């Protein structure tokens, strides 16, 4: 769990894909993940995805709280390979935030 004070939070690229679940009160955020830029309100339960190798920068305009989960790329690949045919070859991409 990450408690985020107002300000800028830099998250360097990592070897594992990450799922970020907003776990606090609603707060306005602007984020940049790779070339994707979004600005909006993060509400409890909102989910963002960050692929492996992609850095992220978050501008938080109030206190925020998030649960960050790293996922093994090997596990993700196994799930995709054993899934129904429509998911084979799928990849994790940055999930845009609703504005």
């Amino acid at each position: 769990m990450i408690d985020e004070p107002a300000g800028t939070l830099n998250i360097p690229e990592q070897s594992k894909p990450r799922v970020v679940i907003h776990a606090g009160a609603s707060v306005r955020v602007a984020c940049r993940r790779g070339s994707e830029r979004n600005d909006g309100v993060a509400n409890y339960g909102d989910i963002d995805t960050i692929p492996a190798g992609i850095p992220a920068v978050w501008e938080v305009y109030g206190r925020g709280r998030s649960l960050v989960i790293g996922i093994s790329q090997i596990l993700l690949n196994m799930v995709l390979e054993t899934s129904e045919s429509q998911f084979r070859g799928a990849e994790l991409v940055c999930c845009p935030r609703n504005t």
Side-chain angles (χ1 to χ4, degrees):
M1 193 72 70
I2 296 175
D3 285 312
E4 305 154 337
T8 302
L9 177 63
N10 290 296
I11 302 173
E13 64 182 68
Q14 296 183 10
S15 60
K16 293 181 179 181
R18 289 150 290 160
V19 174
V20 181
I21 303 170
H22 186 70
S26 296
V27 64
R28 182 172 166 248
V29 296
C31 58
R32 185 174 65 239
R33 294 164 301 230
S35 62
E36 300 285 326
R37 295 176 187 266
N38 301 97
D39 190 339
V41 176
N43 295 301
Y44 186 87
D46 283 354
I47 298 172
D48 287 297
T49 56
I50 307 172
I54 301 290
V57 178
W58 303 83
E59 292 288 337
V60 183
Y61 299 94
R63 284 198 73 69
R65 182 171 225 201
S66 297
L67 174 63
V68 180
I69 303 169
I71 302 171
S72 162
Q73 188 66 51
I74 294 169
L75 174 63
L76 189 58
N77 291 341
M78 258 188 339
V79 169
L80 290 173
E81 289 171 10
T82 59
S83 293
E84 302 208 10
S85 62
Q86 76 253 26
F87 296 113
R88 289 196 183 131
E91 62 181 289
L92 184 67
V93 296
C94 290
C95 179
R97 175 175 305 288
N98 293 330
T99 55

